[in-house]
Amino acid sequence: MAPAAARSRLLLLYLAVAATAGVLQARAQPDSIGFISIDCGLPGTASYVDDTTKLAYVPDAAFVDTGSNQNISAEYITPTLAKRYHNVRSFPDGVRNCYTLRSIVAGLKYLLRATFKYGNYDKLGRPPIFDLYIGVNFWTMVNITDADSPVPLEAIVLVPDDFVQVCLVNTGSGTPFISGLDLRPLKTTLYPQVNATQGLVLYNRLNFGPTNSTAIIRYPDDPHDRVWIPWVNTAIWNSVSTTLRVEDLEDGDIFEVPTKVMQTAITPRNVSQNIEFSWDPDPQPKDPTPGYVANMHFSELQRLPANAGRQFYINLNGKPWYPKAYKPIYLISDAIYNHNPARGFPHYNISINSTANSTLPPMINAVEVFSVISTTNVGTDSQDVSAITAIRAKYGVKKNWMGDPCVPKTLAWDGLACSYAISSPPRITSVNLSFSGLDGDISSSFANLKAVQYMDLSHNNLAGSVPDSLSQLSSLTFLDLTGNKLSGSIPSGLLKRIQDGSLNLRYGDNPNLCTNGNSCQTTKRKTKLAIYIAVPVVLVVVTVSVVVLLLCFCRRKKQGSTSNSVKPQNETPMSHAPAGGGSYPQSTLQLENRRFTYKELEMITNNFQRVLGRGGFGYVYDGFLEDGTQVAVKLRSDSSNQGVKEFLAEAQTLTRIHHKNLVSMIGYCKDGDYMALVYEYMSEGTLQEHISGNGRNTGFLSWRQRLKIALESAQGLEYLHKGCNPPLIHRDVKAANILLNAKLEAKIADFGLTKAYHDNDTHVSTNTLVGTLGYVDPEYHTTMQPTTKSDVYSFGVVLLELVTGRPAILRDPEPTTIIQWARQRLARGNIEGVADPRMRGDHDVNSVWKAADIALKCTAQSSAQRPTMADVVAQLQECLELEEARAGGGGDANGGYDYTGSSSDPYSGYNAHAADGHSTDDVSQTSTGFEVEHHFGRVPTMPTGPAAR
Ligand SMILES: *[C@@H]1O[C@H](CO)[C@@H](O)[C@H](O)[C@H]1NC(C)=O
Ligand SMILES: *[C@@H]1O[C@H](CO)[C@@H](O)[C@H](O)[C@H]1NC(C)=O
Ligand SMILES: *[C@@H]1O[C@H](CO)[C@@H](O)[C@H](O)[C@H]1NC(C)=O
Ligand SMILES: *[C@@H]1O[C@H](CO)[C@@H](O)[C@H](O)[C@H]1NC(C)=O
Ligand SMILES: *[C@@H]1O[C@H](CO)[C@@H](O)[C@H](O)[C@H]1NC(C)=O
């Protein structure tokens, strides 16, 4: 606990622009067979060869530039565990983080496989739930349910561009992570169900009756590296196999199932038994009734005598699925599949039964079941994407620049605005990169943002000449190049645009820029950069020795219980003449608290043994009074001259303020040169520690706890402003000055800068600006006259910290105030991007919105527009009621999702069983509404004709 935070002079430094080293990503290429195999989280640059597939796996650094490498816990590493599961990349920051796989062939179909093994890598023992996207289209929810089992997820999609992104989206239920990512090219003729608007997500892929019941078949047996899971059950099924090759059709199979998979099959023991398998739909947040397609692979493996026959029907949920009896062909690979997805059934059951005159039971070699996903979302215009991506790479822009620049709107890149038309891809219309630390020349890529109307590159370090190509941007109406180091002259094309009034160009503060022909700009206007280095915190520049009489009276409120155990002693009034000649009005005011001697303090603190915190005065120590009451002792250090005035001011103030939300003083010590204040003990430390998760307080606060803390702090301030006459201004409200006790009750601390506020009292205004960077009211900053609204402003910053879990000044990557950061996001309606992800979405959204709104009102530029603390208290009370109504109403463990998901391990979702039943030729012609295709196309019964081949 540190009632006084570290104090040091404010350093008014200009933003030192960190030279962003132009880390160029190695253009990671697919290997010679077009595969990309990534071991996510693998450190270093060396690739290695996977034991089973003999494929080379590469580290992921070239595919992603966010997240961090983590190792899974040792207890989850077994000798047979594939190396790519040993580590993960996790993404604690940002809502969306993406891998970009480049240099692929636009318009081709690709198999994408992402794998996840949690392995308690974060030691939280809490596997996350998050969403996976392919580019701008939802792929699937990832629900890791146990730490040990790897979860492989596979999709087959048609990729429209020469790159594809795989994005992990934080949905507030834990930090997304990934173990591995594979990309495998497929011919466009494969998987006819996949087209530009529809993709497939694997539910299960089984190889029936393999001779080795544990051998997974994949690359190189499957040239497309699909993973075929062995399925055998010799107790019920006969396995059939051949060593002869199973051939594809001359003109190729549309599934190209490997011969090794087709060489084995299962059949029931006798002809009257059916083959049945079934699955339950797996609802997704974006698709509560997903559609399914099944691809069943058949080949007769036995040369049948003339008098024998194998013929069967295929039914879905008891209705014929394939309209005729089907007869597998000897050693030829064939497939039965549906083109239109089956949808809306509570349960899917496929049964295969023999026809009446079949002498042999049915059989099946392999099956694949997929759900379908829509891939209709269109990403930003690809030319805009490559231009802005090149700009991001050139300047090392970080911000939230991940995934698609404009889609979805909620995750659009900061600083960009886009236009969204119905019939064409979104375009980038506005680029604001002011104050973004851009170095080097103006990228030629800016001229490739063909739809841009507004471009602000002001206040960077851009050097070199202004490219004339910018004049070719016909929609550009505003271009701001102010405050750079540009040189040369304004090119003629741009001058022409200025003259004809189609462009508003600003170029001030470029000392070397010649504005017309040869007359160089010489005026050097001073630019004040609004961003300071976010280092030393408190600014106290006290050189004035004028001391203001603190004549104030505060309403006496009920004290908290902790300090009541000590009786005030009032022996000697505190007296001290501060250095510098000023006199302190101690004569008129007496401290009504207990006075301690230094010796007593030594006893109380057990010789100053345990330090709770450190402030500008010196250290704060843990102590126990005679009656066992735990206290905090703030001892002024000998070396600190500067603290005397604040020390005394605080002691004075504390004697007259009494409120349950203001930390209370138990006593003081003025013994020779020793000075100390003794406070009630606040076991949970500062709010700042809780928000940052630093120090002892690594747990996180729930939204309700945060609201309670906000409300209580606000009540403390309201008391200072309203309950005291004249009002007291705290002048240093910040998260580090809000202390929490064991019950997490909040109390405002550190009254060293507190002063009385007299409306017409202009003489109290000194040249001393006090407060903490990031919390200081900009109006106070200009007028040097603090008001109660200065506290309101600072409180608004604290409230934003509570909402977002971020510090008052954050790196984004440039230092940005939390106010600016939150305003930008909230303006886009992105509350989830603002709310602290550690709350895991467990909060009433309206309550968070309202709190964020209060915070923004508190931090209005003009003090007149800010509410009073009394307004704030009332509003926060409503927030708390909203949240408590939600929590009272049963809560929602799903974190606000309004769907019920049933997750499935994709490799265990099937139940295959032999069902006894008598075959019959009595084929019901009732249509099930499914269009089933047979890829031979010999069966002229499909409404839409044979499948593409
Ligand atoms: C893709 O396939 C689905 C299902 O058969 C169909 O509805 C859709 O129109 C197809 N899209 C294109 C672009 O062909
Ligand atoms: C079966 O496959 C497993 C895994 O590939 C392998 O370790 C084992 O040696 C195989 N057994 C036989 C009998 O081939
Ligand atoms: C019986 O099977 C043969 C082929 O094995 C087939 O040609 C014939 O049409 C079947 N008869 C009936 C009634 O299905
Ligand atoms: C995640 O899976 C678990 C276990 O199957 C299930 O209880 C839970 O409801 C799932 N969560 C979501 C959000 O679907
Ligand atoms: C076999 O399939 C046919 C066609 O769908 C059906 O009419 C018959 O009832 C099924 N027989 C058994 C025993 O399931």
Side-chain angles (χ1 to χ4, degrees):
M1 176 172 64
R7 293 175 180 229
S8 61
R9 282 164 185 272
L10 167 69
L11 300 179
L12 283 175
L13 294 184
Y14 288 125
L15 173 67
V17 178
T20 27
V23 182
L24 282 179
Q25 278 196 352
R27 287 261 152 170
Q29 301 273 353
D31 65 12
S32 58
I33 44 173
F35 286 13
I36 298 178
S37 312
I38 305 171
D39 182 338
C40 303
L42 179 69
T45 53
S47 56
Y48 64 86
V49 171
D50 176 66
D51 288 342
T52 47
T53 58
K54 308 295 177 220
L55 289 169
Y57 272 76
V58 297
D60 60 355
F63 302 91
V64 63
D65 45 29
T66 52
S68 63
N69 294 344
Q70 307 283 341
N71 292 327
I72 66 166
S73 292
E75 66 260 39
Y76 293 101
I77 298 181
T78 58
T80 54
L81 183 67
K83 192 172 171 198
R84 65 183 170 285
Y85 293 116
H86 289 207
N87 36 44
V88 303
R89 182 172 290 262
S90 89
F91 299 97
D93 298 317
V95 174
R96 172 172 62 176
N97 287 277
C98 304
Y99 280 79
T100 306
L101 312 184
R102 297 191 178 80
S103 303
I104 63 174
V105 182
L108 216 59
K109 289 174 187 171
Y110 284 91
L111 181 155
L112 283 163
R113 183 166 44 227
T115 52
F116 308 86
K117 181 183 168 106
Y118 172 59
N120 200 19
Y121 78 88
D122 54 5
K123 308 284 186 292
L124 293 176
R126 206 163 51 200
I129 301 177
F130 52 92
D131 282 349
L132 210 55
Y133 279 73
I134 298 172
V136 294
N137 289 290
F138 179 76
W139 171 356
T140 186
M141 177 179 67
V142 184
N143 181 357
I144 316 276
T145 47
D146 85 281
D148 205 15
S149 320
V151 175
L153 298 173
E154 183 193 302
I156 300 175
V157 290
L158 191 150
V159 175
D161 301 302
D162 60 358
F163 68 94
V164 63
Q165 293 197 310
V166 173
C167 302
L168 295 84
V169 174
N170 189 325
T171 53
S173 300
T175 300
F177 75 91
I178 184 167
S179 307
L181 185 60
D182 297 338
L183 172 125
R184 312 289 181 235
L186 300 174
K187 284 183 260 182
T188 37
T189 49
L190 294 191
Y191 292 93
Q193 297 107 332
V194 175
N195 61 28
T197 57
Q198 177 172 285
L200 299 179
V201 171
L202 184 65
Y203 190 84
N204 213 331
R205 178 182 286 127
L206 299 177
N207 172 26
F208 291 115
T211 40
N212 181 340
S213 65
T214 59
I216 286 172
I217 294 180
R218 57 182 296 186
Y219 188 83
D221 291 314
D222 185 336
H224 306 297
D225 192 30
R226 287 165 291 187
V227 174
W228 299 87
I229 304 295
W231 196 97
V232 235
N233 181 344
T234 47
I236 303 173
W237 303 91
N238 283 338
S239 293
V240 197
S241 68
T242 178
T243 51
L244 298 172
R245 244 193 99 70
V246 177
E247 299 291 345
D248 285 345
L249 284 171
E250 271 166 35
D251 52 354
D253 183 353
I254 51 175
F255 296 104
E256 294 188 350
V257 179
T259 187
K260 200 160 169 188
V261 170
M262 294 307 293
Q263 276 172 329
T264 63
I266 50 165
T267 73
R269 287 265 152 82
N270 70 58
V271 68
S272 66
Q273 286 177 313
N274 296 346
I275 296 172
E276 288 193 12
F277 52 86
S278 62
W279 68 94
D280 288 325
D282 183 17
Q284 292 289 317
K286 309 261 146 109
D287 190 0
T289 55
Y292 286 88
V293 299
N295 304 331
M296 279 170 265
H297 305 288
F298 299 104
S299 171
E300 180 59 74
L301 303 178
Q302 292 165 310
R303 188 175 280 288
L304 303 181
N307 60 352
R310 191 194 308 275
Q311 230 187 357
F312 46 79
Y313 295 109
I314 303 168
N315 310 296
L316 172 71
N317 291 346
K319 302 257 174 83
W321 189 58
Y322 182 64
K324 296 198 70 172
Y326 176 73
K327 183 176 185 298
I329 307 149
Y330 182 59
L331 295 185
I332 296 285
S333 188
D334 187 18
I336 304 277
Y337 64 97
N338 58 324
H339 199 282
N340 284 339
R343 199 184 285 273
F345 292 94
H347 181 76
Y348 294 82
N349 184 69
I350 286 182
S351 76
I352 305 176
N353 69 12
S354 300
T355 60
N357 70 358
S358 182
T359 60
L360 292 166
M363 70 176 295
I364 186 165
N365 306 57
V367 68
E368 297 170 283
V369 174
F370 298 89
S371 60
V372 297
I373 51 168
S374 155
T375 54
T376 49
N377 288 345
V378 179
T380 307
D381 176 82
S382 61
Q383 203 190 359
D384 282 2
V385 173
S386 18
I388 199 75
T389 306
I391 290 165
R392 176 182 67 184
K394 179 177 166 87
Y395 300 110
V397 181
K398 288 270 166 19
K399 303 186 192 268
N400 69 338
W401 285 28
M402 285 300 284
D404 189 272
C406 303
V407 185
K409 285 182 195 174
T410 48
L411 294 177
W413 292 4
D414 286 342
L416 301 189
C418 307
S419 65
Y420 299 90
I422 294 165
S423 53
S424 57
R427 301 297 305 255
I428 297 171
T429 55
S430 161
V431 177
N432 181 351
L433 281 170
S434 63
F435 292 108
S436 296
L438 310 188
D439 260 329
D441 56 1
I442 296 183
S443 164
S444 58
S445 298
F446 283 111
N448 292 332
L449 292 168
K450 296 292 186 204
V452 80
Q453 299 161 12
Y454 173 103
M455 198 185 289
D456 186 352
L457 306 178
S458 65
H459 305 290
N460 288 297
N461 289 328
L462 294 170
S465 56
V466 179
D468 198 20
S469 52
L470 292 175
S471 65
Q472 302 301 309
L473 293 173
S474 55
S475 306
L476 188 67
T477 57
F478 178 90
L479 176 60
D480 194 344
L481 302 173
T482 310
N484 281 291
K485 296 177 183 151
L486 297 166
S487 55
S489 52
I490 304 287
S492 57
L494 282 175
L495 285 175
K496 227 166 129 224
R497 292 280 310 270
I498 300 169
Q499 279 151 14
D500 69 20
S502 64
L503 178 68
N504 177 358
L505 176 69
R506 298 189 185 168
Y507 49 80
D509 288 320
N510 281 285
N512 302 320
L513 197 63
C514 307
T515 49
N516 62 32
N518 40 25
S519 85
C520 275
Q521 200 188 5
T522 47
T523 45
K524 291 184 183 175
R525 269 168 281 151
K526 289 266 178 297
T527 31
K528 279 219 178 77
L529 294 195
I531 305 172
Y532 309 122
I533 277 233
V535 241
V537 219
V538 179
L539 39 131
V540 185
V541 192
V542 184
T543 48
V544 207
S545 54
V546 182
V547 171
V548 184
L549 191 67
L550 274 177
L551 270 181
C552 62
F553 308 93
C554 300
R555 279 198 313 263
R556 179 103 200 183
K557 283 221 174 170
K558 265 247 170 320
Q559 268 288 90
S561 57
T562 37
S563 62
N564 289 343
S565 55
V566 182
K567 277 222 171 83
Q569 289 189 346
N570 290 351
E571 298 149 58
T572 328
M574 186 160 160
S575 97
H576 176 75
S583 71
Y584 213 78
Q586 70 281 354
S587 50
T588 55
L589 303 162
Q590 293 195 348
L591 296 174
E592 49 180 57
N593 300 62
R594 170 170 174 185
R595 182 171 182 178
F596 294 89
T597 63
Y598 185 69
K599 263 215 117 45
E600 282 174 311
L601 291 186
E602 280 182 334
M603 263 161 55
I604 288 172
T605 60
N606 195 12
N607 259 323
F608 303 101
Q609 201 176 35
R610 194 163 91 86
V611 174
L612 292 173
R614 196 205 151 107
F617 290 102
Y619 289 98
V620 180
Y621 299 92
D622 188 18
F624 290 90
L625 299 182
E626 305 85 326
D627 66 354
T629 309
Q630 196 169 5
V631 294
V633 178
K634 180 158 105 178
L635 182 69
R636 194 183 80 84
S637 83
D638 302 339
S639 57
S640 155
N641 271 334
Q642 199 184 291
V644 175
K645 179 173 164 284
E646 289 88 349
F647 176 88
L648 291 168
E650 177 164 20
Q652 298 283 3
T653 304
L654 279 169
T655 54
R656 57 185 49 79
I657 55 178
H658 303 282
H659 187 272
K660 66 177 169 44
N661 300 121
L662 300 178
V663 79
S664 55
M665 181 167 76
I666 288 168
Y668 67 96
C669 162
K670 170 76 189 68
D671 187 351
D673 283 341
Y674 294 115
M675 278 190 238
L677 294 177
V678 180
Y679 305 89
E680 62 178 307
Y681 181 77
M682 302 290 284
S683 62
E684 287 302 304
T686 72
L687 176 57
Q688 185 178 42
E689 288 167 352
H690 282 266
I691 291 175
S692 66
N694 282 342
R696 311 164 279 158
N697 298 306
T698 49
F700 75 97
L701 299 166
S702 71
W703 178 235
R704 188 176 168 279
Q705 285 168 328
R706 292 174 201 227
L707 277 176
K708 250 188 88 244
I709 289 165
L711 176 61
E712 288 166 354
S713 317
Q715 283 166 340
L717 288 173
E718 182 197 14
Y719 168 78
L720 288 179
H721 294 176
K722 286 293 257 302
C724 298
N725 187 14
L728 290 180
I729 313 170
H730 185 281
R731 296 207 298 172
D732 199 13
V733 175
K734 59 180 171 183
N737 281 342
I738 294 172
L739 302 182
L740 303 173
N741 68 13
K743 288 190 266 175
L744 286 180
E745 288 164 343
K747 302 190 184 212
I748 308 260
D750 197 349
F751 300 91
L753 300 174
T754 302
K755 74 199 278 297
Y757 173 67
H758 304 265
D759 269 338
N760 45 5
D761 209 3
T762 45
H763 74 274
V764 294
S765 153
T766 66
N767 287 327
T768 311
L769 178 70
V770 301
T772 299
L773 189 61
Y775 294 88
V776 179
D777 171 10
E779 207 175 87
Y780 166 44
H781 205 292
T782 31
T783 62
M784 301 303 277
Q785 174 69 53
T787 66
T788 51
K789 293 290 184 71
S790 311
D791 282 351
V792 173
Y793 183 92
S794 310
F795 178 79
V797 176
V798 173
L799 192 50
L800 279 180
E801 289 181 81
L802 281 165
V803 170
T804 63
R806 285 162 202 268
I809 293 185
L810 48 96
R811 289 202 163 268
D812 187 28
E814 311 78 48
T816 310
T817 66
I818 193 172
I819 303 172
Q820 204 181 350
W821 184 88
R823 264 187 213 285
Q824 276 177 2
R825 281 164 179 76
L826 291 170
R828 291 198 307 258
N830 182 7
I831 190 74
E832 284 309 326
V834 168
D836 187 348
R838 289 172 296 179
M839 298 192 290
R840 300 171 74 106
D842 189 12
H843 52 67
D844 179 83
V845 173
N846 293 325
S847 168
V848 176
W849 260 117
K850 192 167 164 62
D853 189 49
I854 300 167
L856 292 189
K857 291 202 171 97
C858 288
T859 53
Q861 282 287 311
S862 142
S863 65
Q865 284 167 5
R866 297 176 207 150
T868 63
M869 281 320 297
D871 299 333
V872 172
V873 166
Q875 296 287 310
L876 284 173
Q877 241 143 9
E878 286 178 25
C879 285
L880 189 57
E881 278 159 22
L882 281 174
E883 171 64 12
E884 288 185 333
R886 177 195 75 105
D892 55 343
N894 280 339
Y897 296 120
D898 57 352
Y899 59 91
T900 52
S902 84
S903 121
S904 67
D905 177 343
Y907 288 177
S908 69
Y910 265 102
N911 306 303
H913 58 270
D916 272 316
H918 289 280
S919 68
T920 159
D921 272 352
D922 183 14
V923 179
S924 152
Q925 291 302 317
T926 320
S927 165
T928 58
F930 298 112
E931 172 199 344
V932 177
E933 295 191 10
H934 175 283
H935 92 264
F936 278 119
R938 291 181 196 145
V939 187
T941 50
M942 286 80 62
T944 59
R949 13 196 307 252

